[in-house]
Amino acid sequence: DADVTQTPRNRITKTGKRIMLECSQTKGHDRMYWYRQDPGLGLRLIYYSFDVKDINKGEISDGYSVSRQAQAKFSLSLESAIPNQTALYFCATSDPDRGTDTQYFGPGTRLTVL
Amino acid sequence: GENVEQHPSTLSVQEGDSAVIKCTYSDSASNYFPWYKQELGKRPQLIIDIRSNVGEKKDQRIAVTLNKTAKHFSLHITETQPEDSAVYFCAASRRGTSYGKLTFGQGTILTVHP
């Protein structure tokens, strides 16, 4: 089945380290998103991309950067990780041009910054 | 930008009872309102959605109602079962090429006691 995958699934790192989270999808969707989930705060949008040449900041982009290497790949980087970036990170995809607005989420990456 | 408020943050019911989760939104141009369910340790998945041209939509035991004038929408689950226990998120967006990003509510932890 077509799916959204994320690597790594869990990561522990130290303050100041650079870290990259990767997302791949086999759904053939044009749109990809990065969210972070914190208890009591829901899912907050970090960055989104509507195609390979289109990258947009979400509501909480400070401290993060992204790269859309191909239609199927969207990576999130923390240039210098800090403890308050400890969270669960989700990648998602969608393709409204196919008649549905559904976003399909990856399994998540649990990131701990010590 | 859009702001979505979700209540209650936690909800505990007995099996067989009904559960209602409410959300309000701020952007009167929002026209798409999905609900996602996230089971423990799993990814969020769409369970039902509604577009602004209808006031109610049902799918077996779940239903969503929308009041555009008051800018609020609600999820109704009837005859709850233990497997309904999860975190539920509402969201809002403007459907269309340039505005497809979702703004999520803070989430509701639903616990159904056998």
Side-chain angles (χ1 to χ4, degrees), chain A:
Chain A
D1 285 341
D3 200 6
V4 183
T5 57
Q6 293 182 234
T7 56
R9 295 293 312 278
N10 290 280
R11 181 71 183 267
I12 300 174
T13 191
K14 295 183 179 180
T15 297
K17 294 290 187 181
R18 183 180 188 276
I19 184 168
M20 179 180 288
L21 309 183
E22 299 186 338
C23 176
S24 294
Q25 53 114 346
T26 56
K27 290 187 169 294
H29 289 173
D30 285 330
R31 299 186 180 189
M32 298 187 74
Y33 310 81
W34 275 105
Y35 295 92
R36 68 176 277 176
Q37 183 177 14
D38 300 276
L41 296 177
L43 293 156
R44 293 183 292 165
L45 185 63
I46 307 172
Y47 271 95
Y48 61 105
S49 170
F50 283 0
D51 65 44
V52 175
K53 296 181 180 180
D54 178 72
I55 304 288
N56 303 279
K57 292 182 178 181
E59 59 181 297
I60 55 163
S61 59
D62 287 349
Y64 302 95
S65 63
V66 291
S67 174
R68 184 82 184 265
Q69 300 97 323
Q71 186 204 36
K73 296 185 182 294
F74 192 36
S75 299
L76 176 71
S77 293
L78 287 67
E79 296 300 326
S80 180
I82 57 177
N84 76 359
Q85 291 178 313
T86 293
L88 183 56
Y89 290 84
F90 285 102
C91 173
T93 73
S94 71
D95 199 343
D97 290 342
R98 299 188 185 188
T100 173
D101 298 278
T102 304
Q103 289 196 11
Y104 297 88
F105 286 80
T109 294
R110 186 166 297 281
L111 176 65
T112 302
V113 183
L114 301 176

Side-chain angles (χ1 to χ4, degrees), chain B residues 12-32:
Chain B
S12 182
V13 300
Q14 290 296 127
E15 183 176 0
D17 288 350
S18 295
V20 181
I21 303 170
K22 299 181 178 181
C23 290
T24 60
Y25 62 98
S26 62
D27 184 356
S28 58
S30 288
N31 56 13
Y32 173 66

Side-chain angles (χ1 to χ4, degrees), chain B residues 23 25 30-33 50-57 64-74 76:
Chain B
C23 290
Y25 62 98
S30 288
N31 56 13
Y32 173 66
F33 307 93
I50 191 168
R51 298 179 182 179
S52 60
N53 58 344
V54 297
E56 184 175 3
K57 183 177 179 181
V64 57
T65 58
L66 171 65
N67 183 326
K68 289 187 293 183
T69 303
K71 290 191 284 187
H72 67 70
F73 56 112
S74 300
H76 304 255

